[in-house]
Amino acid sequence: MKQRTFASAARDNKGKLTRRERFLREMDAVIPWPRLIALIEPHYPKAGKGRQPHPLERMLRIYFMQNWFNLSDPQAEDSLYDMESMRRFAGIELAEDVIPDESTILRFRHLLEQQQLTQAIFAEVRSLLEEKRLLLKSGTIVDATIIAAPPSTKNAGGARDPEMKQTRKGNEWHFGMKAHIGCDRRGTVHSLTTTHAGAADITQMDELLHGEESEVFGDQAYWSETRRQAAKACGIRYRVNRRGTHSRPLTAYQREVNRLRSKRRARGEHAFHVVKRLWGFAKVRYRGLAKNTARLFTAFALANLYLLRRRLMPRQASCLS
C-alpha cells in the first residue's frame, strides 16, 4: 500500500469537488483503459536491468491530460508537481513515486506518433461505440474546421511551416491546416482526415463516408451536382446545402431547404466545440501535419467519449458524480 502524503489526506477531507476533479473522474470511468493499454503495450519499453520505465497506464493518463488541458511537455511535468487532482488521476504519490520529466513525456508522445497508435486509439474507441450501439450508421455529416498555425517568419528557418497553407473564409485569410470529419447524426466522429488549409473540403468527402449511409449532410462547400446524381443512383439522399451563383441565385424555397438541413448538420459542430474551445486545440502546437494529425486522432477519440459519457458511465460512477 502506498504511503499517503499530507496533501492527499487533506484532499480527501475537503468538502467541494472541483470541476476539474469531476471531469477527470468522469473520463476515468468511461475510457476503456484495458483495451487501449493492450494496443500500446507491444510497442512500449519492457523492464530490464537498466532504468525502469514508468508504468504504461500512468504515461497514457498523462498524455490524455496533455490533450484535455492543452499542455506542452514541460507544462505537463510542472502541472503534476502543482496539482494533486492530476497526480491522483495519474496514480502518483509524491512520497513514493517519481514524476516523469518532460523528456520522458516527450518520448512517450513520439512513440504514439511514430507507431501510429493515436489512429489505433481512435479506431478502438469507435469499435467500442459500435459494440454499444452508440454509433449510428444511417447517415453521415461531413464538415471541416481550420486549425490556425503561426504565420510569422521570425524563426530559425526564416519561413512559415511549408506543410501549412492559407485560405480565405469570408473576408478573412487564415493560415494553417484543416481537420475534416465524418460523424453520425448525433455528432459522434467516425472518420478523420487532415490537409493544409488551402485544400477544398469536397476533396476529402469520399474518405469521410463509411459506405453504409442512407443520407449525407454537408454545407455548401460539399455541393456537387455530379455527386448528387451519383448518390441518387445509389439510393443515398444527398442532403448537402445547395450553392447558388451570381447568374443563378438560390430561390426562396432552396434557401429554406438549406436552413432546415443546417439544423441537422449542426450536430457535427459539437465535436469541434469540444476539441477547439473546451480543450484549446484552436492552434497547432507542432510543425508539420503528422504530429498535429496524431494529436487530432486522440482529441476526437476523447471527444467522442466525453460527448457520450452519460451513456457510457457505469451507473454507480454516475451516481457518485
Side-chain angles (χ1 to χ4, degrees):
M1 182 176 178
K2 288 187 177 181
Q3 181 180 350
R4 304 294 304 281
T5 63
F6 287 115
S8 298
R11 180 184 176 280
D12 290 337
N13 295 326
K14 70 182 181 64
K16 180 177 174 60
L17 188 69
T18 66
R19 285 182 295 177
R20 184 189 296 267
E21 290 168 336
R22 183 178 294 107
F23 168 76
L24 291 175
R25 180 178 295 186
E26 290 177 349
M27 296 306 293
D28 189 19
V30 301
I31 292 174
W33 296 109
R35 296 173 66 154
L36 300 187
I37 290 170
L39 286 175
I40 303 170
E41 192 169 20
H43 307 276
Y44 195 68
K46 304 297 187 292
K49 296 182 178 179
R51 184 178 180 181
Q52 301 301 302
H54 291 270
L56 170 55
E57 183 173 343
R58 178 176 300 166
M59 296 305 302
L60 184 60
R61 287 172 176 267
I62 293 171
Y63 175 70
F64 285 167
M65 287 192 288
Q66 278 189 279
N67 280 268
W68 292 328
F69 306 125
N70 195 25
L71 302 173
S72 65
D73 302 323
Q75 288 172 334
E77 180 188 358
D78 291 345
S79 296
L80 289 170
Y81 280 103
D82 289 340
M83 299 185 184
E84 171 62 24
S85 60
M86 294 181 67
R87 288 197 299 272
R88 180 164 294 200
F89 181 81
I92 295 174
E93 280 289 349
L94 284 178
E96 294 187 8
D97 299 316
V98 176
I99 291 180
D101 60 23
E102 62 179 271
S103 297
T104 302
I105 296 171
L106 178 144
R107 286 194 296 270
F108 182 77
R109 178 170 57 80
H110 282 180
L111 172 69
L112 299 183
E113 294 165 355
Q114 293 163 4
Q115 300 297 328
Q116 298 184 335
L117 292 172
T118 61
Q119 290 92 321
I121 290 172
F122 179 84
E124 190 65 31
V125 170
R126 183 179 59 200
S127 297
L128 171 69
L129 300 181
E130 289 175 349
E131 291 169 12
K132 294 184 176 292
R133 299 183 179 180
L134 294 175
L135 185 62
L136 306 177
K137 291 193 173 183
S138 58
T140 289
I141 302 168
V142 291
D143 206 349
T145 189
I146 298 172
I147 310 292
S152 174
T153 58
K154 295 180 179 179
N155 51 50
R160 294 177 173 182
D161 188 338
E163 296 187 27
M164 305 292 170
K165 303 294 182 183
Q166 66 179 8
T167 188
R168 186 175 181 178
K169 187 175 182 180
N171 295 323
E172 297 182 356
W173 287 91
H174 301 268
F175 180 77
M177 64 180 291
K178 276 185 182 178
H180 307 262
I181 64 167
C183 62
D184 70 7
R185 290 179 298 171
R186 282 198 295 240
T188 306
V189 180
H190 58 68
S191 306
L192 169 67
T193 64
T194 59
T195 62
H196 59 76
D201 295 353
I202 198 171
T203 61
Q204 300 300 304
M205 191 171 186
D206 292 338
E207 299 295 326
L208 302 177
L209 303 179
H210 52 64
E212 300 179 33
E213 295 89 355
S214 59
E215 57 184 356
V216 178
F217 291 87
D219 60 26
Q220 294 181 4
Y222 296 94
W223 173 257
S224 166
E225 179 62 26
T226 302
R227 287 178 179 269
R228 188 186 75 83
Q229 294 291 347
K232 184 178 179 180
C234 296
I236 300 173
R237 295 186 291 276
Y238 197 69
R239 307 302 196 195
V240 175
N241 287 12
R242 286 181 177 269
R243 182 172 58 236
T245 63
H246 291 293
S247 60
R248 298 186 64 180
L250 296 179
T251 65
Y253 172 75
Q254 289 171 336
R255 289 196 299 270
E256 179 63 17
V257 170
N258 280 357
R259 188 182 68 82
L260 295 175
R261 289 176 177 176
S262 294
K263 287 184 177 181
R264 297 286 299 276
R265 68 175 183 80
R267 298 289 299 186
E269 300 285 346
H270 291 195
F272 289 149
H273 171 73
V274 172
V275 171
K276 295 182 68 175
R277 304 304 171 202
L278 299 187
W279 298 346
F281 196 1
K283 293 183 179 180
V284 301
R285 182 174 291 280
Y286 315 110
R287 285 180 66 86
L289 287 175
K291 291 183 178 181
N292 291 294
T293 298
R295 183 184 171 191
L296 280 169
F297 271 110
T298 300
F300 280 107
L302 295 173
N304 282 343
L305 295 173
Y306 176 76
L307 290 169
L308 294 170
R309 66 192 185 282
R310 303 302 181 196
R311 295 171 178 263
L312 290 167
M313 195 177 302
R315 181 168 299 181
Q316 182 178 5
S318 179
C319 294
L320 291 174
S321 64

